[in-house]
Amino acid sequence: MIDTLVEFYYYFLHERHYFECHEIMEDAWKEKSVYTKNDIEVGLILLATSQYHLRRGNKKGARTCLKKAYQILKMYSLSEIGLHDSVLYILEENMTSEEYVPLTLPLTNEMKEAIHKQHPDFSVKHAPDARWIHFHRTRDRSDVIEARLKSMRDKHPVDDTPDKRHD
């Protein structure tokens, strides 16, 4: 899990690429043999999603996600995922945010060191890369679309054999 957390925090704090954070953590969450909506990974997914929404002006969506993230994260020992408990105070303070101000997550020294090993250029940045602001609109979704079509075909196979056609 440490490698996943390193990537999550790098994209959250350095790149401010919240969409990628969501993807990283969702993959880790779904790799678990048993998972629930109260898993710590979900808390981090919701945290990233809240920032994505807020930066795009969706205040209601941001607040909803941040409140859910807070409820989940407070159930865990956050030092296990490289965060100081003071992150809960930061999240509480930001639940009513009306404008996007990048969150600075209080990482443990061990987590900072782990991130620097993987990403020597790591630093907490506050200016978002404009490419990430509306990323959901610009990414290549061909694999997602194909998977959905396949799923629909599997659920409702097309049966147009000659003896089943209506005249």
Side-chain angles (χ1 to χ4, degrees):
M1 175 82 159
I2 186 73
D3 290 335
T4 300
L5 290 168
V6 163
E7 293 307 304
F8 178 86
Y9 294 133
Y10 179 79
Y11 281 97
F12 194 99
L13 296 167
H14 182 84
E15 295 289 329
R16 299 293 177 182
H17 191 343
Y18 304 121
F19 194 93
E20 185 64 20
C21 292
H22 179 288
E23 297 294 304
I24 290 166
M25 205 48 64
E26 184 176 37
D27 288 346
W29 180 57
K30 288 185 174 179
E31 284 179 9
K32 295 169 64 171
S33 58
V34 177
Y35 52 92
T36 73
K37 290 186 177 183
N38 288 321
D39 290 340
I40 200 161
E41 294 90 349
V42 175
L44 293 173
I45 290 167
L46 289 165
L47 178 59
T49 303
S50 74
Q51 294 302 283
Y52 190 79
H53 284 313
L54 189 58
R55 183 168 61 189
R56 296 186 65 248
N58 178 358
K59 296 171 192 170
K60 183 178 179 187
R63 252 190 303 280
T64 299
C65 289
L66 192 57
K67 286 178 183 176
K68 288 179 183 178
Y70 174 83
Q71 292 301 321
I72 293 169
L73 293 174
K74 75 178 188 175
M75 296 187 305
Y76 292 91
S77 170
L78 298 177
S79 62
E80 292 178 16
I81 60 165
L83 290 173
H84 289 287
D85 288 338
S86 61
V87 72
L88 296 175
Y89 174 76
I90 293 168
L91 300 184
E92 278 184 288
E93 290 291 304
N94 281 275
M95 280 189 204
T96 57
S97 290
E98 290 294 316
E99 64 181 73
Y100 170 72
V101 176
L103 285 180
T104 299
L105 302 177
L107 300 175
T108 62
N109 288 334
E110 295 81 13
M111 182 54 69
K112 288 177 191 174
E113 289 172 15
I115 296 169
H116 278 286
K117 280 183 186 174
Q118 296 279 343
H119 301 282
D121 66 330
F122 175 73
S123 65
V124 175
K125 295 184 178 177
H126 293 282
D129 187 321
R131 294 175 297 171
W132 310 147
I133 295 174
H134 302 290
F135 188 74
H136 72 284
R137 293 182 182 169
T138 61
R139 73 192 191 285
D140 177 11
R141 299 196 61 226
S142 54
D143 58 334
V144 173
I145 292 167
E146 182 55 38
R148 284 187 183 158
L149 289 173
K150 181 182 180 322
S151 176
M152 287 175 28
R153 285 191 302 268
D154 291 348
K155 288 180 185 175
H156 305 289
V158 176
D159 188 3
D160 66 352
T161 58
D163 57 319
K164 302 265 178 156
R165 291 187 188 153
H166 298 294
D167 293 313

